[in-house]
Amino acid sequence: MTTDSPAPGPTRLDVPALLAAMTLEEKASLLDGSDAWRTEPIARPDGSLTVPAVMVADGPHGLRKEPDDSESMGLGDAVPATCFPPAAGLASTWDPELVEQVGAAMADECRAEGVSVLLGPGVNMKRSPLCGRNFEYLSEDPFLAGTLAAALVRGVQGRGVGTSLKHFAANNQETERMTVSADVDERTLREIYLPAFERVVRQEQPWTVMCAYNKINGVYASQHPWLLTEVLRDQWGFEGLVVSDWGAVDDRPAGVAAGLDLEMPSSGGNGTRKVVDAVRAGTLAEADVDRAAARVLRLVDRAQPALAERTPADLDAHHELARHAATASAVLLKNEDGILPLDADRGGRVAVVGELARTPRYQGSGSSQVNPTRLEDALGALRERLAREVAFAPGYALEAGADDETVAALRDEAVEVARDAAVVLVFLGLPPSYEAEGYDREHLELPPQQVSVLEAVAQVNREVVVVLSNGAAVTVHPWQRHARAVLEGWLLGQAGGSAVADLLTGRAAPSGRLAETIPLRAADTPTVGAFPGERGHVRYGEGLLIGYRWYDAHELPVAYPFGHGLTYTRFVWSDVEATVGRDTPAAPDATTHTADDDARVAVEVAVTVTNAGARAGRETVQVYVHDPRSAVHRPEQELRGFVGVELEAGESRRVTVPLDARAFAYWDVTLQRWVVEGGAFEIRVGASSRDQRGRAVVELAGDDLTAPLSAEQPTSAWLEHPVAGPVLRERLAGSVMLRMFEDPQHGPMLRAIPLRRLSRFPDVPLREEQLEDLVAEVRA
Ligand code: BGC
């Protein structure tokens, strides 16, 4: 008789005991990788101490694991994995639940391969559409990026696999990415470039955060104490490990002291030596090494349960999920006379034009490049789905280099295929060489050859639909009049071909919404003249005005606004309402309220959405907050909440969107905290940043902002103060100055004089020596 012995459980690490038993050299060795993808193991020959290695791998839209026999960080073939839509696509879903499912599926593939940390998501802001790596980032809006990234991290980590939130921070261009200094004022950092990181850290505690290559205000992110310790740990409460971007380390001991725990890839012992030497020389505290080593040990420890259970992933199910995600990622930009979906009952030939229909561009190039388990193209998928003849002409060569004769022949062939077709589906987009990790784009245009094919086709057939493949915004203005519909496909991952076919044929309805503005012209974008910088610096002169915040502030028309997206049905919105507080006091308490407290509902917004069309569809309710009066400059409106709602034809639902106190707050640089200014806020509810469907006003008590009075403040502050005002007036009674304060012309100038300097003016019945007593009197 045999008895089943239980499967051996995961080996857990006793971190404090290990740390206490380790030599300085052993601890320092943990802070350096062992190769391109693994942490350093420790195995004492006498067996008295063992620490296993763990493996990390890219990320972020699928697993890119180098085969086990490879020690390089080459970008060659990786182990096959499901290629989900890259961030540019996934963000357009505006669907955290779906993003979470994608995260869970990626984690299952990591588990099957023994990978403990997936290197993503990337939450850098799309400061300029020219950034060559925008396809890997989620949005121009920090709330949307943070919300979706939190969902992804939840999905991955819920399966016992870690994430690496990257690239922390202000890594918003590829030009000189390893050296440039992003020169950004603090409020802009706090309100635009950090909040997506902050949200994910506070809500999901990613196992790791990856520091950026670049400098921030002159200091490398890899050795920035304010960023890596003060903000990330002391203020946001990060408990995980900070890993360097691959090759981001400049001064290793300075990095350890600042809070950079792990250097990747392996520095071949160089980092370890420098750390040991610095401790011996007394320039680095051993306690700093201990702290970083403990974090590496904790990472290794928390990876063990998943490593103990390596089960194969369900790649068929993941392909289906990749299709679902791709379907939800595409954005229908325009659809004149309902040309889409293609009319199944209408006969006639369908013409498909464009190499991209046959050779899909489904992800960007660089470290995120997944080796897909399978790959669908739209042409094949359309042929499968349509019971009509589908003719094809490539129309153009994807990359430049063809001679004039070939270009003309390709174009002529496309025109012939299009001529008598019932409808022409023209696939256009950016060739791989136009956008990639490592360099930025030079312009926002499609290749001229592609545009001229579209023009030629449109001359012989008006029934043109354009499908785009691009990792970041392209200008549509120069050519979109030639198309009756435009479907923005972004990069849709391995199942993008069938997803597009489903959308065009109406098997699925588009539901994507733009996570980035499509500008009319490159010249309208926020960073003209300030991207990608010069002489090692890029100055974020546009401040808070990134993306739609810029176009709103400058009242600029755009091709398609942030949040835009059509579908095959029509929604009617009604009864917008905003109520202060639900499970909180009626208004934030002036003394105890901290705007960091994002669990509390400050305002609840409600709206009824009705599907007034003939088929099911998904609407995305977007909530923007406008502060009509503020002590500091604020963007015209900011996205602070959203929710997707699926409705059958004729169905109606009341949806609610909770807003936390942060939705109303700004970062006060003087007080060094988030502040809600009391007063009225306008809540704008809409289907895009420029398609508002209703408004409501709420009154918030806000925080107590009264700074204690001092003699250095302008006299106006004293005069307006409820206690000090009457006291000062009494002291100045009968003086010319007091009378002059009320003078419409000179009053403002005089009231701006700080009280201490006013006391030195002739004929002012208040002497500098009396000020101390006066201040004490009014503060009492
Ligand atoms: C990229 C990271 C990536 C790492 C490892 C770096 O060049 O910036 O995003 O995770 O390489 O491939």
Side-chain angles (χ1 to χ4, degrees):
M1 200 180 85
T2 55
T3 42
D4 281 347
S5 54
T11 321
R12 301 304 297 251
L13 275 64
D14 183 344
V15 175
L18 281 168
L19 210 55
M22 277 180 192
T23 64
L24 172 62
E25 283 76 3
E26 284 170 333
K27 288 183 283 191
S29 76
L30 285 179
L31 314 192
D32 193 7
S34 71
D35 62 15
W37 307 110
R38 288 172 186 81
T39 59
E40 182 75 37
I42 299 179
R44 283 191 189 158
D46 64 2
S48 61
L49 199 148
T50 312
V51 176
V54 293
M55 182 175 196
V56 304
D58 285 302
H61 61 269
L63 174 65
R64 182 177 72 89
K65 183 194 174 193
E66 306 267 329
D68 280 339
D69 54 2
S70 157
E71 287 213 336
S72 79
M73 20 168 336
L75 304 174
D77 268 358
V79 169
T82 308
C83 179
F84 291 96
L90 212 51
S92 309
T93 65
W94 291 57
D95 187 345
E97 285 84 30
L98 177 56
V99 172
E100 188 176 336
Q101 285 171 34
V102 169
M106 292 193 297
D108 284 351
E109 296 190 23
C110 288
R111 286 181 77 129
E113 288 292 337
V115 168
S116 298
V117 176
L118 184 74
L119 301 176
V123 290
N124 296 107
M125 291 292 102
K126 302 190 192 215
R127 177 174 176 249
S128 164
L130 292 173
C131 172
R133 211 177 173 182
N134 273 0
F135 62 82
E136 241 185 282
Y137 300 140
L138 290 156
S139 180
E140 67 186 23
D141 181 83
F143 178 78
L144 180 61
T147 305
L148 296 177
L152 192 108
V153 169
R154 196 156 56 242
V156 177
Q157 296 195 167
R159 293 286 219 266
V161 171
T163 53
S164 198
L165 186 65
K166 67 191 189 182
H167 308 91
F168 190 54
N171 177 184
N172 306 299
Q173 64 185 60
E174 292 300 282
T175 308
E176 294 188 84
R177 69 171 175 162
M178 294 185 89
T179 48
V180 76
S181 173
D183 297 339
V184 202
D185 68 274
E186 191 192 350
R187 185 169 165 219
T188 300
L189 275 175
R190 295 280 192 172
E191 292 191 25
I192 301 292
Y193 293 98
L194 298 183
F197 289 98
E198 181 182 2
R199 179 169 291 273
V200 181
V201 167
R202 283 192 198 280
Q203 292 185 359
E204 303 301 333
Q205 282 291 347
W207 288 15
T208 79
V209 165
M210 187 189 291
C211 80
Y213 284 132
N214 50 284
K215 302 180 190 116
I216 295 141
N217 297 322
V219 181
Y220 276 111
S222 61
Q223 55 198 59
H224 207 303
W226 178 80
L227 188 72
L228 300 185
T229 296
E230 206 175 309
V231 171
L232 180 64
R233 293 190 186 274
D234 300 346
Q235 295 174 9
W236 300 349
F238 179 58
E239 291 162 4
L241 165 143
V242 177
V243 59
S244 71
D245 197 347
W246 268 230
V249 167
D250 189 54
D251 179 334
R252 186 64 185 112
V256 175
L260 171 64
D261 305 306
L262 174 63
E263 170 170 11
M264 289 299 283
S266 164
S267 69
N270 181 303
T272 307
R273 254 189 322 277
K274 285 190 168 158
V275 167
V276 170
D277 290 351
V279 172
R280 298 252 149 85
T283 52
L284 176 66
E286 187 163 352
D288 289 347
V289 178
D290 288 358
R291 192 186 54 198
R295 290 179 190 145
V296 176
L297 290 171
R298 271 202 297 275
L299 176 74
V300 174
D301 177 52
R302 72 203 306 192
Q304 297 310 311
L307 288 171
E309 264 181 66
R310 281 181 63 168
T311 40
D314 185 347
L315 297 177
D316 290 333
H318 292 183
H319 185 72
E320 290 305 313
L321 179 61
R323 177 181 302 127
H324 179 43
T327 310
S329 297
V331 183
L332 183 61
L333 296 178
K334 75 179 234 182
N335 191 19
E336 276 171 21
D337 309 322
I339 184 174
L340 288 179
L342 299 177
D343 191 344
D345 302 330
R346 218 169 103 189
R349 194 159 52 84
V350 173
V352 174
V353 168
E355 185 59 54
L356 283 162
R358 174 170 70 177
T359 311
R361 184 147 178 264
Y362 59 98
Q363 64 178 333
S365 90
S367 59
S368 66
Q369 212 168 314
V370 172
N371 180 15
T373 57
R374 58 190 89 161
L375 183 57
E376 292 171 349
D377 61 89
L379 178 60
L382 281 162
R383 284 190 162 141
E384 258 174 50
R385 281 161 178 70
L386 288 168
R388 295 148 77 173
E389 184 194 344
V390 178
F392 172 70
Y396 54 84
L398 207 44
E399 293 290 359
D403 57 36
D404 290 353
E405 216 175 301
T406 314
V407 169
L410 283 167
R411 189 180 51 226
D412 294 349
E413 184 199 2
V415 169
E416 285 323 305
V417 163
R419 195 180 295 280
D420 300 316
V423 64
V424 196
L425 308 174
V426 183
F427 286 73
L428 305 176
L430 296 180
S433 64
Y434 270 49
E435 51 179 351
E437 178 179 345
Y439 55 90
D440 292 314
R441 292 158 76 195
E442 283 165 16
H443 57 76
L444 298 183
E445 312 301 322
L446 287 176
Q449 228 192 79
Q450 292 189 20
V451 176
S452 71
V453 171
L454 171 67
E455 284 165 357
V457 162
Q459 268 175 17
V460 299
N461 195 327
R462 296 297 304 150
E463 304 295 300
V464 172
V465 172
V466 165
V467 179
L468 288 173
S469 302
N470 47 306
V474 295
T475 44
V476 297
H477 186 57
W479 51 261
Q480 69 161 339
R481 65 185 176 284
H482 301 300
R484 294 185 50 201
V486 180
L487 182 68
E488 173 55 271
W490 301 117
L491 307 177
L492 292 178
Q494 67 181 46
S498 57
V500 163
D502 283 349
L503 291 167
L504 295 174
T505 57
R507 283 192 184 196
S511 59
R513 301 289 183 268
L514 291 179
E516 62 191 275
T517 307
I518 302 186
L520 276 179
R521 312 172 310 155
D524 295 338
T525 59
T527 58
V528 173
F531 181 97
E534 58 221 353
R535 298 187 193 281
H537 288 266
V538 52
R539 204 170 69 80
Y540 286 35
E542 74 287 355
L544 305 171
L545 302 180
I546 169 180
Y548 64 86
R549 291 164 170 81
W550 172 267
Y551 304 106
D552 286 350
H554 294 261
E555 296 181 357
L556 285 168
V558 298
Y560 293 103
F562 175 81
H564 171 77
L566 306 174
T567 184
Y568 296 152
T569 185
R570 200 168 55 81
F571 297 101
V572 174
W573 302 39
S574 56
D575 303 322
V576 171
E577 230 179 356
T579 332
V580 176
R582 185 181 62 185
D583 48 13
T584 56
D589 181 282
T591 49
T592 59
H593 162 234
T594 72
D596 287 336
D597 188 0
D598 38 352
R600 297 196 315 176
V601 179
V603 170
E604 191 167 85
V605 183
V607 59
T608 301
V609 183
T610 305
N611 182 348
R615 59 173 292 167
R618 178 186 171 92
E619 180 62 300
T620 300
V621 172
Q622 304 165 33
V623 177
Y624 298 82
V625 173
H626 164 71
D627 187 356
R629 246 188 109 220
S630 173
V632 296
H633 176 267
R634 302 199 69 173
E636 168 66 20
Q637 56 177 355
E638 297 183 272
L639 180 76
R640 297 306 197 197
F642 64 90
V643 66
V645 52
E646 315 252 357
L647 294 172
E648 295 298 326
E651 196 186 347
S652 193
R653 195 165 323 144
R654 187 106 182 121
V655 296
T656 53
V657 182
L659 301 181
D660 59 13
R662 262 295 273 282
F664 303 91
Y666 69 86
W667 178 260
D668 191 299
V669 285
T670 319
L671 299 175
Q672 283 290 300
R673 53 170 280 218
W674 294 100
V675 157
V676 175
E677 217 179 337
F681 289 87
E682 187 178 85
I683 312 286
R684 300 175 176 175
V685 181
S688 88
S689 62
R690 294 216 167 158
D691 180 4
Q692 313 278 318
R693 302 291 175 88
R695 293 170 187 227
V697 173
V698 287
E699 286 281 340
L700 296 185
D703 293 333
D704 184 1
L705 298 180
T706 345
L709 275 184
S710 78
E712 275 54 55
Q713 277 167 311
T715 308
S716 55
W718 282 74
L719 292 169
E720 286 155 20
H721 193 276
V723 179
V727 175
L728 183 64
R729 280 197 171 82
E730 167 91 38
R731 294 290 174 87
L732 302 178
S735 68
V736 178
M737 190 58 92
L738 186 60
R739 253 198 346 270
M740 290 297 282
F741 282 151
E742 306 309 322
D743 184 86
Q745 202 181 341
H746 304 294
M749 179 177 74
L750 295 172
R751 290 197 304 267
I753 301 172
L755 195 64
R756 187 178 301 283
R757 288 189 229 167
L758 188 85
S759 69
R760 300 201 198 105
F761 276 61
D763 304 325
V764 171
L766 180 68
R767 303 311 333 137
E768 196 172 354
E769 307 78 69
Q770 301 168 324
L771 288 179
E772 218 170 291
D773 288 345
L774 184 65
V775 169
E777 183 185 337
V778 301
R779 279 195 191 171

